[in-house]
Amino acid sequence: MHKIGLIIADHFQMLAISTLTVFEFANMATGKAFYQPVVYSEFGGTVRSSSGIGVDSLPLSDDTQVDSWLVAGVLTPVEEPASAGIVHFLQTTALQARRIAGVCTGAFVLAQAGLLDKKRATTHWAHARSLLQLHPDIQLEDDRIFIIDDRIWTSAGMTAGLDMALGMVEKDLGAEIARAVAHNLVMNQRRSGGQTQHSEMLALAPRSDRLQSALEYARSNLSKALTVELLADAVHLSARQLSRLFRQETGKSPAKAIEGLRLEAARLMIEQSRLSLDAIARESGFRDRRHMREVFIRGYGIPPQSLRTGR
């Protein structure tokens, strides 16, 4: 029996509970009780979620032993840090488990406990910058669905916690069982791409008209060699002024912002057209197909051709 412990605290997000459904369905697929999901909190009893729904839980103690710990996130992780008791538990008793995972902003709790220091990790894209500001030693990859670094797992948004739980099932029981669970839950066994399902322009969130115009010009001319000087001329600024504007409003250099636009354009063309990868690389402004593949793996964690698998 593999006990799965989900740690919740006041105002936790209810979707975190859904990760336990993956393990329940894995038991159904294997025909035996391989997993035992249990909900815990610092003191036990009823814990209220952010929506006000109460969930019963068992108390954490020094002799609480499970195979895998999952830590639920909250909607406002900066304003609602984990309690000292939960942090201490993660730093001591929880380290005896085979793996420890943060569901969505649960990564903030793991980071508080020092479990993400020098490790690759992810969290919800809307909170990624805050996590990195609070814990600069984390190797944050903010466009991954979930990440495994040694025995520490982290997921992006709340629904990405389902992907992460399914990844655990695949590690434990193999691809066939994971496929059966995904089929029963009507979800992808492996979701393609990263969490940049939102528009790249929305993610960059330009505030000034000048930067908005520069980005719109770039998106309309991705097949060109888009230098800072070219963009600056298009919006009547100096290259230095435009570079400073990019940093101030997006936190990125012009080159990084344009790379994000190229990635989004290429991904959409791959998913929605029958163009060859060579043609897509040219249309989206990459040097060649090989360059596009390198940037895809760096940005999304998968090669571009995998987006067409099964089509």
Side-chain angles (χ1 to χ4, degrees):
M1 177 84 66
H2 288 59
K3 186 180 285 187
I4 306 292
L6 174 67
I7 299 175
I8 61 175
D10 287 337
H11 306 140
F12 76 96
Q13 222 295 318
M14 275 295 293
L15 269 173
I17 296 287
S18 66
T19 58
L20 301 183
T21 303
V22 173
F23 302 106
E24 177 188 1
F25 274 65
N27 287 343
M28 292 168 57
T30 58
K32 60 182 180 181
F34 185 85
Y35 294 110
Q36 181 188 3
V38 182
V39 179
Y40 291 91
S41 66
E42 184 174 1
F43 303 111
T46 301
V47 179
R48 295 287 170 186
S49 70
S50 58
S51 60
I53 297 172
V55 174
D56 290 336
S57 65
L58 296 179
L60 295 172
S61 66
D62 292 342
D63 59 357
T64 305
Q65 300 294 323
V66 307
D67 178 76
S68 303
W69 286 108
L70 279 65
V71 181
V74 297
L75 295 178
T76 54
V78 176
E79 292 79 6
E80 299 181 89
S83 69
I86 287 179
V87 169
H88 177 71
F89 181 83
L90 290 171
Q91 292 171 331
T92 54
T93 305
L95 288 179
Q96 300 171 44
R98 182 160 61 101
R99 57 194 170 206
I100 305 173
V103 181
C104 189
T105 57
F108 281 74
V109 184
L110 301 192
Q112 264 187 266
L115 302 186
L116 299 185
D117 290 352
K118 310 295 184 186
K119 290 192 177 295
R120 296 170 57 241
T122 192
T123 191
H124 191 286
W125 63 268
H127 299 283
R129 191 174 297 180
S130 295
L131 180 61
L132 199 55
Q133 287 172 345
L134 289 171
H135 306 281
D137 287 339
I138 297 175
Q139 299 175 31
L140 190 68
E141 299 181 24
D142 61 0
D143 196 48
R144 300 296 295 276
I145 298 298
F146 68 89
I147 285 178
I148 310 167
D149 191 329
D150 192 20
R151 60 194 181 118
I152 304 297
W153 298 53
T154 49
S155 77
M158 288 293 176
T159 58
L162 293 169
D163 297 86
M164 181 172 67
L166 191 61
M168 292 178 179
V169 169
E170 183 167 351
K171 284 258 184 201
D172 295 341
L173 297 170
E176 286 302 316
I177 295 297
R179 190 173 297 116
V181 172
H183 181 71
N184 283 327
L185 290 175
V186 196
M187 61 182 286
N188 293 323
Q189 185 177 355
R190 291 190 187 88
R191 216 191 308 187
S192 63
Q195 54 174 317
T196 318
Q197 309 296 327
H198 56 284
S199 168
E200 187 65 22
M201 285 286 279
L202 288 177
L204 291 170
R207 295 188 298 274
S208 66
D209 291 341
R210 288 286 180 88
L211 191 56
Q212 178 78 33
S213 297
L215 288 168
E216 287 176 354
Y217 177 87
R219 192 161 60 171
S220 299
N221 295 275
L222 289 177
S223 59
K224 296 181 180 178
L226 293 170
T227 63
V228 182
E229 290 75 16
L230 181 62
L231 289 178
D233 284 344
V235 294
H236 310 294
L237 289 174
S238 70
R240 186 174 180 179
Q241 287 174 316
L242 185 63
S243 294
R244 186 167 59 246
L245 202 59
F246 264 93
R247 292 284 187 187
Q248 288 174 346
E249 296 194 19
T250 72
K252 295 182 178 182
S253 67
K256 270 293 176 188
I258 291 167
E259 183 178 276
L261 293 175
R262 294 192 198 283
L263 270 177
E264 181 180 57
R267 175 173 60 82
L268 290 173
M269 280 189 276
I270 291 169
E271 292 175 342
Q272 299 173 10
S273 78
R274 294 182 177 275
L275 290 173
S276 69
L277 292 182
D278 289 311
I280 290 171
R282 287 194 303 271
E283 288 292 318
S284 50
F286 294 103
R287 289 193 303 272
D288 51 32
R289 176 174 172 170
R290 177 185 236 173
H291 180 219
M292 181 172 73
R293 185 180 191 279
E294 291 170 358
V295 178
F296 250 80
I297 291 174
R298 185 167 66 245
Y300 292 153
I302 57 170
Q305 58 267 31
S306 68
L307 295 180
R308 284 183 168 167
T309 302
R311 283 183 60 185

